[in-house]
């Protein structure tokens, strides 16, 4: 019986108030202690932040569904729900203890699975499992970034196999170096909510993947021509962006890791405001700049401008003033508008613009930390960016090449032209609308 | 004036700290008591959990919109917003007091409407109305399950009439038996967040409705052929699944019913992790199994695999270890992949797979409780499953037959072929895309 | 290192418990004080409410995307993400201090930008920046209302220019009069969460804009004929409505402005229940009434019925009993069904029905306050409605005329027929589906 359980819970609660002096009891009631209160508030922050970041998985799914052509939409949906699920399992099986089981100053934790602590073991300032949940959704975010870049040509299972290693091994090991308390932390590297540790990790894996996989058929011709392949649904792309923006309050706000004091609550509020301001500034910068450059606002750039602002503020969403948050976001928005055509010139085919958003702005955000946070320095930031970039790129490259050389990474030309949905899933995303073979196929 | 109200509130707050000894007062401040803290945290949990479960109504609307053909999409939207609204009114008018006004060990509460308690009456460990809100959205969830199965052929108003009785009478009465403290609770039946009490209730009502309503025209032919009728939008179905997954953290986590102690907060965290793990395991199981069985991943099975894992863990999301949560989810995912074609063989036409997901996995999850929760036993679980199944099926059957014999349940053959949107609403869901008469119509 | 930071935070937290008598300390722990607890809970309410209201921006984007024709969908997406971003910047640059820097009984605050308070300055009962965030998303909501009415013919940049002034100047000034503690507050005007201060403000700006802009080509013919222009996606419109409904729990619930006492938590719960009940009643009223009037349920009316109920209960979601909340919602739903055709008769072209929903129901909700709240009176309510209506209409009219006379408000006839997406953004929302030139174009 649901309601009676509450009374029992209350009785238990009263009795576990270990630190409350008995003399305070009155009418069977006791005073609450700081430790107890902190524990509940901090755990609540992890759970709130966690479900908001979990929601970002839907945001990536919608953004990518809107940015690919209709013949590949169902496959990108399958990849997104698949990778989120894989992250959830791998971060339990290996990831968490690899990342947080590291010795101070060390390089790697242990290959053991995560187990729920018992009530008796909950002696810290938050529930252990709430931290697992919060860190797990961050791991999933890194994998989500990869799927967009490589869309419309990578096979489903090899992509998911990459995600197994990315979420179970690659992400946790580099995460251990800073957030796990390892050597990069000791080296002074600072990345509050993961511009580098989450976003550029996904970005590096995506970049290396894009280089090894090659561009979509018809995207670039031999004469240097670049052929746009417009996304199938702008409202879904917009929805995805709004979802990501919403989820980012959990991403950055939750990374305060504590809520139960006046200072922590104020800091979380400040993080919310700075996060929103950077995103808003990124949108406005991208809209104004595309109007100036191309005489028209580019909606996909505006959407990516929001994400650019968000990624840029993620490495340090707490210390900036509002004008600095806006400036960090503006530069992020400009970087995306500038980098997207640059990648096309280099014939690096990034379907959704994930490399400009998550890698380029991830680096920018990480470099910007010392501008507002006096306890950091550019040298340490550069060491962190390079160390993580080299590690993730190298291991990803090895992994992509192994997959390419064994099961193969790319669908056949025929399947790519006909669409991955029919080839990989045997269905269509929109069976009643539009052409089965898209006119955009060269 | 919004800001000044805070100061007043603070003054009131200080004065209502009844249990705080005056001797503690210092600078006008007083110590907080356990009862007060519990009250606020528990109420907050109900409100947070409640809005997440409310959001599941949108999830069902999107999942079902994606899984029906375009000619029936607007009608399924109307059904979903209609049923959520009806649940909100009926659970106020009858439902809550029928469900929670029952005597210990009893069968039924009272036919009176719910009234907000006054401040003076708020003496428990949570705000009374927060519990009403939380329980109301659970009731709406049960009704949401029915709409998907019966889509594409049931008339709008008879369906809504069924929902009036389901949410106002059927759901609350069976809910009273366990969560209201009635006879099933006394018999030892345990269903933490409603694998049986919510999900299989919707599933039984849907199954009986599907049997009485019959299959869609052209779904099954006389030679035993089964004709797939692909859903109109895979990204909307995917979005709906992610929404449901997100909402489930409120569904299961909120069912802890308390947050304000170290143990409760830890338990909510554990529930979040187990819920996510079961869903992830359900997705992976469904993807792997459909790849093995059909040589292709089936996206709709992957989505239903997530929901299968979620329903399966719902009866007991707290006591399992992580490996057990994964196992419970895997079995849920397998059950869905196996049961969907079985229903087709029986010519039971379930448009979205709600019977496999909510009924079959609801039973599985309920049976799995004693595997991890020592205070339960299989006998009591079976009694609960059977009692609720028989009651809901019998009353639903009577109600469906009454509706069939009076106003009629099913649209005309012409209207079904032309689509319910034109017939029932006089509009089209996508007036500019695709054929008005879908090519999938036999 | 993320986990170690928690321990530091805890140590700081313990030391800031200024009001906790040292004698209570035991095992290094101290009792929590009321002020500290209030601060965290109230801040949390602002952040929770704030992210839910932020999410309403996505709701408006989806609702409007679904209600416009496909050739204008991308532009409405650009407008929505643009206006939300502009609101975020303008409410920082001018809005907040214009609105909350006003003297008691005054008319206007100061033209200074908002700065984060330092930790030392956080002496109130909530974090200053959490209030900024919460109030900013309300400001954005007012602008969101305008975009729907004026869709399918207004140019992108002039619309965004209007939003700059609306969110930076118009909204904050009228907001200062009541929520800022200005003269309307002194005059006894009461508007709990903004039926007038947010919703009718958007509604007046939209109405004046619609009058100055004129109807879409082909909407009304010279013989008095009204030509429906069906929205392109009913599921997106439904999704948008559900998002708005969800966000409204933050909108109304957060406007309690305090959570940390038994009474405040109870009040927030009561607000949630009344908000849901009014919305549900609005849906049912609109469905029943359209069935009676037109022999068919009108889905767009049902969706607007939900919003009508929500707007209507917003001026006073706390004091009504459940039956009164339902009644307020029913009248809202009826008003929308009655007003939509009335506007068409007046040849006022409101693409999404924002004027009936936000202006008409905003007025109704504000007038209904004295029915349940004894501390208010009809005279003061009418003064508030008129004062704000006259101010917003007049300033908006001047601004619309300035824009019309300088840069121009409306796209060319050719661009309007071909769709704003091609003309304004150079892309299509759904490049692979349906006709580029919609058959609905007269």
């Amino acid at each position: 019986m649901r309601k009676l359980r509450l009374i029992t819970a209350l009785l238990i609660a009263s009795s576990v108030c270990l630190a409350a002096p008995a003399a305070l009891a009155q009418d069977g009631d006791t005073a609450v202690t700081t430790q107890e209160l902190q524990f509940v508030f901090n755990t609540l922050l992890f759970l709130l932040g966690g479900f908001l970041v979990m929601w970002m998985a839907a945001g990536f799914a919608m953004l990518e569904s809107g940015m690919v052509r209709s013949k590949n939409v169902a496959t990108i949906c399958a990849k997104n729900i698949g990778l989120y699920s894989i992250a959830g399992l791998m971060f339990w099986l290996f990831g968490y203890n690899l990342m947080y089981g590291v010795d101070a100053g060390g390089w790697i934790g242990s290959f053991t699975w995560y187990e729920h602590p018992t009530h008796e073991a909950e002696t810290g300032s938050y529930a252990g499992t709430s931290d697992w949940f919060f860190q797990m959704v961050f791991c999933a975010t890194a994998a989500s970034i990869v799927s967009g870049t490589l869309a419309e040509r990578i096979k489903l299972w090899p992509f998911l196999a990459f995600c197994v290693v990315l979420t179970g091994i690659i992400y946790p090991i580099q995460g251990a170096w800073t957030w796990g308390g390892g050597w990069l932390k000791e080296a002074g590297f600072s990345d509050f909510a993961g511009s580098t540790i989450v976003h550029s990790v996904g970005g590096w894996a995506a970049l290396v993947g894009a280089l090894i996989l090659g561009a979509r058929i018809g995207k670039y011709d031999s004469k240097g021509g670049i052929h746009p392949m417009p996304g199938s649904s702008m409202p879904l792309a917009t929805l995805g962006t709004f979802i990501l923006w919403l989820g980012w309050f959990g991403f950055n706000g939750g990374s305060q890791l504590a809520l139960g004091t006046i200072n922590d609550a104020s800091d979380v509020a400040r993080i919310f405001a700075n996060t929103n301001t950077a995103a808003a500034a990124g949108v406005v910068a991208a809209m104004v700049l595309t109007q100036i450059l191309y005489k028209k606002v580019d909606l996909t750039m505006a959407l990516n401008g929001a994400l650019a602002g968000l990624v840029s503020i993620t490495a340090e969403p707490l210390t900036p003033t509002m004008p600095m948050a806006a400036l960090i976001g503006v530069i992020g928005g400009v970087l995306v508008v500038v980098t997207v055509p640059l990648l096309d010139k280099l014939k690096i085919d990034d379907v959704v613009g994930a490399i400009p958003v998550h890698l380029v702005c991830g680096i920018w955000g990480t470099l910007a930390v010392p501008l507002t946070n006096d306890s950091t320095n550019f040298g340490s930031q550069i060491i962190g960016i390079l160390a993580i970039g080299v590690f993730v790129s190298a291991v990803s490259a090895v992994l992509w090449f192994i997959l390419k050389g064994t099961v193969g990474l790319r669908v056949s030309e025929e399947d790519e032209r006909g669409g991955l949905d029919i080839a990989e899933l045997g269905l269509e995303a929109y069976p009643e609308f539009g052409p089965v073979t898209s006119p955009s196929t060269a």
Side-chain angles (χ1 to χ4, degrees), chain A residues 153-328:
Chain A
R153 65 237 199 247
I154 195 170
K155 285 185 193 172
L156 176 58
W157 284 110
F159 170 75
L160 294 178
F162 183 84
C163 289
V164 167
V165 183
L166 179 67
T167 60
I169 313 282
I170 299 173
Y171 172 86
I173 287 178
Q174 62 81 34
W177 301 347
T178 311
W179 290 349
W183 72 272
L184 261 178
K185 166 76 181 171
E186 299 293 314
F189 180 60
S190 175
D191 187 5
F192 193 90
S195 284
T196 287
I197 294 168
V198 179
H199 293 278
S200 82
V201 164
W204 288 116
L207 173 61
V208 173
L211 289 169
I212 293 169
L213 193 62
R216 287 167 291 174
I217 298 169
K219 177 70 185 170
Y220 307 114
D221 64 32
S222 53
K223 296 168 191 162
I226 298 162
H227 301 280
M229 296 176 165
S232 52
S233 174
M234 288 305 106
L236 288 189
T238 304
L239 174 64
T241 303
F242 272 118
I243 293 174
L244 289 167
W245 195 327
L246 170 59
W248 233 288
F249 295 115
F251 202 93
N252 287 359
S255 294
Q256 176 69 12
L257 307 179
L259 175 68
T261 66
I262 287 176
N263 282 358
D264 281 315
S266 300
D267 284 351
V268 176
R270 190 175 166 122
I271 291 167
F272 269 52
N274 282 343
T275 299
N276 196 77
T277 301
V283 169
V284 171
M287 290 179 87
V288 170
L289 190 57
T290 55
Q291 176 70 38
I292 293 169
L293 291 176
Y294 308 119
K295 310 299 171 209
K296 280 188 202 298
V297 168
D298 184 323
L299 173 60
T300 65
M301 286 293 187
L303 301 179
N304 273 336
L307 303 181
L310 290 164
V311 172
S312 300
I313 199 69
T314 291
E316 186 49 270
L318 176 59
T319 52
T321 59
M322 293 283 268
M324 276 304 295
L327 181 64
I328 289 167

Side-chain angles (χ1 to χ4, degrees), chain A residues 35-122:
Chain A
Q35 193 259 339
E36 191 177 16
L37 187 79
Q38 298 285 315
F39 189 98
V40 178
F41 270 127
N42 298 347
T43 298
L44 180 60
L45 182 69
F46 281 133
L47 297 179
L48 283 173
F51 79 64
L52 286 172
V53 180
M54 176 270 165
W55 184 223
M56 292 172 71
F60 283 105
M62 291 303 103
L63 177 64
E64 296 170 18
S65 288
M67 299 287 267
V68 302
R69 289 164 295 171
S70 59
K71 64 184 176 182
N72 299 314
V73 169
T75 305
I76 207 72
C77 289
K79 282 172 186 162
N80 273 281
I81 199 154
L83 74 85
Y84 178 76
S85 301
I86 285 169
L89 298 178
M90 293 309 296
F91 205 71
W92 151 52
L93 285 170
F94 299 122
Y96 188 81
N97 284 343
L98 258 180
M99 187 157 168
Y100 291 104
V102 67
D103 293 328
W107 287 73
I108 191 169
S110 65
F111 281 89
T112 53
W113 75 36
Y114 177 76
E115 291 183 71
H116 298 307
T118 60
H119 284 160
E120 294 70 33
E122 297 282 15

